[in-house]
Amino acid sequence: MSPRPIIAPSLLAADFARLGEEVRAVQAAGADWLHVDVMDGHFVPNITLGPDIVKALKPHATVPMDVHLMIAPVDPYLEAFVEAGADIVSVHPESGPHLNRTLKRIRQLGARAGVVFNPSTSPSVIEWMMDEVDLILVMSINPGFGGQTFMHSQLAKIEALRRMIDASGRDIVLEVDGGVTPETARLCVDAGATALVAGTAVFRGGPEAYAANIAALRG
Ligand code: DX5
Ligand code: ZN
């Protein structure tokens, strides 16, 4: 039997006019982490929020803030996000010239370091860096928008990364992001995922539904 997955609601699907309340509601409903999607309109075709919003939400956060950076270049902004309160900072290998240097810098700043795999990115990117990562995030959609359909082609990648993590002997979180529903959550956990990001599937139905929505994702 698989262990209970970490559930990280994506604030992208929250009501942006009431973000503090949404954070408190989703935590009361059982969220393990808060997933924050940062987009620059350049690396991905959408614009969301920056370090000031992370900083404003931090006093409301009782769980780790899992910050997913979809910005390029990413290096100049690492410090601002960690200072704002990011506990985990995840970067795409395509968002800077030296992934190893970027990961080391995130840890040096005091946060946990994550690498994000786009649907087309191969697991081999991480092969020589298993000691430098605390989290691996597999995108099961093309990043940029919530509400997209889960790409089943990514399940084999989750399995491959599970094998690499097990072989490393390190305690690396394997997270999945995009199109996660109660049905696809089960497939991800069976493939070896230990954390699930969900926007639409958590925030649909409003605050009264959050607890049931999160429980449904746990299976
Ligand atoms: C998309 C983001 C996701 C997104 C997931 O680029 O990284 O975190 O919010 O949304 P759903 O769960 O609706 O697919
Ligand atoms: Zn995300």
Side-chain angles (χ1 to χ4, degrees), residues 10 12-13 35 37 39 68 70 139 141-148 177-180 197-201:
S10 165
L12 193 58
H35 185 81
D37 289 301
M39 306 186 188
H68 175 190
M70 288 162 273
M139 295 304 301
I141 54 166
N142 281 302
F145 301 94
Q148 301 183 70
D177 184 5
V180 173
V197 176
T200 308

Side-chain angles (χ1 to χ4, degrees), residues 6-8 33 35 66 68 88 90 135-139 158 165 172-177 192-197:
I6 291 164
I7 304 294
W33 291 355
H35 185 81
D66 173 32
H68 175 190
I88 303 155
S90 296
L135 177 143
I136 292 171
L137 174 51
V138 175
M139 295 304 301
I158 297 167
I165 292 169
I172 298 170
V173 176
L174 182 51
E175 187 175 41
V176 182
D177 184 5
T194 53
L196 304 169
V197 176

Side-chain angles (χ1 to χ4, degrees), residues 15-216:
D15 179 351
F16 272 24
R18 302 169 39 251
L19 268 185
E21 281 169 55
E22 291 280 66
V23 162
R24 290 191 296 273
V26 89
Q27 288 174 161
D32 298 300
W33 291 355
L34 297 170
H35 185 81
V36 183
D37 289 301
V38 179
M39 306 186 188
D40 65 354
H42 165 74
F43 183 71
V44 290
N46 194 7
I47 301 176
T48 55
L49 49 84
D52 286 347
I53 304 284
V54 173
K55 191 173 175 182
L57 292 176
K58 186 66 176 176
H60 303 271
T62 55
V63 298
M65 294 186 86
D66 173 32
V67 176
H68 175 190
L69 297 180
M70 288 162 273
I71 60 176
V74 72
D75 292 332
Y77 301 99
L78 300 174
E79 189 169 354
F81 281 102
V82 176
E83 280 186 358
D87 298 282
I88 303 155
V89 175
S90 296
V91 300
H92 289 249
E94 301 85 357
S95 64
H98 300 284
L99 180 59
N100 185 285
R101 179 177 287 147
T102 301
L103 296 172
K104 281 195 165 77
R105 179 72 182 138
I106 293 169
R107 281 184 168 176
Q108 194 181 53
L109 289 165
R112 285 191 269 168
V115 174
V116 194
F117 288 81
N118 276 336
S120 63
T121 308
S122 166
S124 62
V125 165
I126 205 73
E127 190 176 357
W128 302 104
M129 266 181 286
M130 295 303 278
D131 289 338
E132 315 288 347
V133 294
D134 302 300
L135 177 143
I136 292 171
L137 174 51
V138 175
M139 295 304 301
S140 38
I141 54 166
N142 281 302
F145 301 94
Q148 301 183 70
T149 304
F150 185 87
M151 295 171 64
H152 286 76
S153 58
Q154 301 305 301
L155 288 167
K157 189 192 289 179
I158 297 167
E159 288 170 0
L161 286 161
R162 174 82 265 151
R163 287 193 292 273
M164 287 170 67
I165 292 169
D166 289 348
S168 78
R170 294 199 56 249
D171 185 19
I172 298 170
V173 176
L174 182 51
E175 187 175 41
V176 182
D177 184 5
V180 173
T181 63
E183 295 72 38
T184 57
R186 187 57 26 222
L187 301 175
C188 294
V189 170
D190 288 348
T194 53
L196 304 169
V197 176
T200 308
V202 167
F203 287 94
R204 69 156 68 98
E208 302 75 34
Y210 296 167
N213 290 347
I214 289 173

